[in-house]
Amino acid sequence: MAEKPAMVIGIDESEHSTYALEWTLDRFFAPLAPNYPFKLFVVHAKPSASSAVGLAGPGTADVLPFVEADLKKIAARVLEKAKEVCASKSVNDVVLEVVEGDARNVLCDAVERHHASILVVGNHGYGAIKRAVLGSVSDYCAHHAHCTVMIVKKPKIKH
């Protein structure tokens, strides 16, 4: 039997990311269990402590171990949440990864490493200024990933 194509889902601690994971599992995995159309890789990019602190100078070195410990806790929480979401949809055949680095590069590298045919990312819905400063992970991946990129947008709640 031919190997299944790979799907990479990028996740972080945002609710947009959780929504994208749930949305994708509901449409591509849960209804087709156990004959999933894709091999699933869920990838979290953990920033390096130095990039998260973003400054240098006296005292920086003292702060880094605390920042690193925090980032590890966040990464563990993100993976735990992803595991719970997958389990709640009875999707157990999933590879969860934490890779240190900028999310843009980490996700594009994961696509290459797993020969993925599709990358799924959430959309934070930042405004123009915040997006210009931070750069959009989904925009970057849409232009640089060597596969189809699906950007899952969380619907705005109408009051």
Side-chain angles (χ1 to χ4, degrees):
M1 191 177 127
E3 200 167 301
K4 288 180 186 175
M7 175 187 282
V8 172
I9 304 180
I11 56 163
D12 62 17
E13 64 277 21
S14 73
E15 61 184 68
H16 297 274
S17 165
T18 304
Y19 178 81
L21 177 60
E22 290 173 341
W23 189 95
T24 305
L25 294 177
D26 284 344
R27 281 155 187 82
F28 291 90
F29 290 87
L32 305 167
N35 302 312
Y36 307 129
F38 296 97
K39 179 148 180 49
L40 182 59
F41 296 90
V42 175
V43 180
H44 171 63
K46 182 181 88 56
S48 67
S50 53
S51 76
V53 170
L55 54 98
T60 305
D62 303 336
V63 175
L64 292 179
F66 297 103
V67 174
E68 179 60 29
D70 246 15
L71 292 168
K72 280 186 173 152
K73 278 188 202 128
I74 291 167
R77 265 204 311 271
V78 169
L79 281 197
E80 197 48 49
K81 174 82 176 163
K83 222 182 274 181
E84 285 168 16
V85 170
C86 290
S88 76
K89 314 271 182 201
S90 303
V91 177
N92 303 311
D93 190 12
V94 56
V95 178
L96 299 160
E97 300 177 342
V98 174
V99 180
E100 184 165 305
D102 180 276
R104 291 171 274 251
N105 302 327
V106 165
L107 295 176
C108 288
D109 291 349
V111 163
E112 296 300 310
R113 196 171 63 250
H114 299 303
H115 309 289
S117 51
I118 186 165
L119 168 65
V120 180
V121 288
N123 179 299
H124 280 246
Y126 291 141
I129 292 170
K130 196 164 185 188
R131 191 170 50 247
V133 173
L134 294 176
S136 161
V137 171
S138 56
D139 280 356
Y140 182 91
C141 291
H143 289 96
H144 295 90
H146 296 183
C147 70
T148 298
V149 177
M150 184 168 71
I151 300 168
V152 178
K153 294 186 174 193
K154 190 170 195 273
K156 286 193 169 41
I157 293 145
K158 293 175 179 60
H159 295 290

